[in-house]
Amino acid sequence: MELGAHLSISGGVDKALDRAEELEINTLQIFVKNPRGWTGKELTTKIANLFKEKSKAMNLASSVVHANYLSNLATPKNELYKKSKESLKEDIRRADCLGVNYVVFHPGNHTGSGIEAGIERVNKALKEIIKDLNPKAKLLLENVSGAGTEVGFNFEDLLAMTAGIPLDRVGVCLDTCHAFAAGYDLRSKDGFDRLLTEIDDTFGLDHLKVIHVNDSKRELGTNKDRHYHIGQGKIGSEGFARLVNHPQLKEKVFIIETPIDENGDDKLNLKTLRDLAE
Ligand SMILES: [Zn+2]
């Protein structure tokens, strides 16, 4: 099982690998620049090489970069659109320097222009970015909770954002908390099957690469993105047992993005998932 966590890069990106070793996990997700700003400390070749060597020495199964949160590829505003494309490009460049497998990003908010217009903006941006960079990392669109004017809370819309782009370049990242908030009832077998069928009918399950494993603090369908400890939120243990033991999800990369209210919470959430896995 590929199981990991979102880890801090404080002290340098390579330090995240030390944290992964400490948690005894075989995959990880990191930011490669300030997640709530437009800039980041320069990534030197020396650090990038250190990261690659360490990943190899640790036998890391995979690695994921999460793009910054400010980036909004669905915006109708030209200046923000341009800035957002540049920001995602920089995240991808850095991911490629580090030899990372996947870059996950949230599509963005249409802020009034409408879902269709938002989807079209994201699609245009992705085409441009892929043409310009020819990324080595696969770009994964993450499903969102559908708060405000967020686009991408179902898989049909996410797929529409990839129109005209071959699926070897793009895929999907499933966030369980976001899906639950968007109305997918992951507590029941029926609801879970419905979600997987929808992913299979749109992207195809092969193109689901990463799963953000998060319980939800808020109720089903509230469009509220509040991650919570595995098994202690509104989804509950049964839903996560189904997820980690599903025969069609064996090869997926599971990453927790659960809160750390107290020291060791990440360790506990990882243990909960390991214990649920048969
Ligand atoms: Zn997520």
Side-chain angles (χ1 to χ4, degrees):
M1 180 186 192
E2 280 184 49
L3 177 61
H6 182 95
L7 297 175
S8 157
I9 56 161
S10 156
V13 282
D14 57 303
K15 295 291 182 289
L17 295 170
D18 299 340
R19 296 180 181 113
E21 250 183 339
E22 227 181 275
L23 290 168
E24 297 175 348
I25 51 182
N26 56 1
T27 181
L28 81 170
Q29 176 177 279
I30 51 173
F31 292 123
V32 282
K33 51 186 175 60
N34 183 358
R36 299 188 192 277
W38 295 105
T39 54
K41 238 170 71 184
E42 193 202 343
L43 175 65
T44 62
T45 316
K46 195 179 149 205
I47 295 284
N49 287 337
L50 193 61
F51 184 93
K52 281 194 276 196
E53 281 159 27
K54 257 195 204 179
S55 313
K56 217 172 154 190
M58 280 170 66
N59 256 324
L60 202 69
S62 57
S63 47
V64 183
V65 158
H66 197 299
N68 104 342
Y69 288 123
L70 292 183
S71 183
N72 181 3
L73 299 179
T75 179
K77 294 181 190 124
N78 286 329
E79 203 179 314
L80 178 59
Y81 189 55
K82 208 173 145 205
K83 235 173 155 177
S84 299
K85 286 189 285 187
E86 278 316 310
S87 172
L88 182 56
K89 276 186 179 174
E90 185 56 24
D91 280 319
I92 296 168
R93 277 190 209 105
R94 288 178 182 219
D96 279 351
C97 274
L98 296 170
V100 162
N101 308 82
Y102 307 110
V103 175
V104 170
F105 66 98
H106 299 186
N109 304 280
H110 65 72
T111 61
S113 62
I115 290 180
E116 296 261 300
I119 290 173
E120 228 181 281
R121 288 287 257 191
V122 178
N123 181 241
K124 214 173 136 238
L126 281 182
K127 280 180 175 158
E128 189 186 311
I129 290 168
I130 289 170
K131 185 165 167 262
D132 284 0
L133 293 185
N134 192 22
K136 289 196 279 281
K138 184 159 165 132
L139 311 185
L140 304 182
L141 293 105
E142 178 171 352
N143 68 305
V144 293
S145 59
T149 64
E150 258 185 332
V151 294
F153 50 82
N154 66 53
F155 297 89
E156 200 183 315
D157 286 354
L158 288 169
L159 184 70
M161 293 170 199
T162 71
I165 304 167
L167 283 177
D168 58 333
R169 314 310 302 266
V170 289
V172 69
C173 166
L174 165 68
D175 187 304
T176 54
C177 171
H178 300 173
F180 187 73
Y184 295 92
D185 190 354
L186 300 179
R187 294 168 302 191
S188 73
K189 186 178 181 300
D190 268 12
F192 186 78
D193 287 347
R194 213 173 309 131
L195 169 70
L196 286 194
T197 304
E198 192 178 317
I199 299 175
D200 203 26
D201 289 347
T202 48
F203 284 85
L205 276 179
D206 274 357
H207 299 288
L208 166 63
K209 297 294 184 187
V210 174
I211 302 180
H212 287 164
V213 191
N214 305 307
D215 210 328
S216 172
K217 197 166 186 179
R218 306 297 285 269
E219 293 289 353
L220 174 72
T222 48
N223 302 114
K224 294 266 192 290
D225 178 10
R226 300 282 183 279
H227 296 191
Y228 208 52
H229 304 293
I230 305 298
Q232 292 177 41
K234 301 294 178 190
I235 298 177
S237 303
E238 202 188 307
F240 289 102
R242 205 172 278 123
L243 179 83
V244 294
N245 292 304
H246 197 284
Q248 279 183 288
L249 303 178
K250 287 259 181 276
E251 318 270 290
K252 308 306 177 196
V253 180
F254 293 95
I255 301 275
I256 59 162
E257 294 175 318
T258 43
I260 300 185
D261 302 322
E262 277 173 56
N263 255 339
D265 274 354
D266 43 358
K267 236 178 200 157
L268 271 175
N269 280 308
L270 289 164
K271 185 182 182 304
T272 305
L273 283 173
R274 282 197 190 101
D275 290 348
L276 288 173
E278 280 156 10

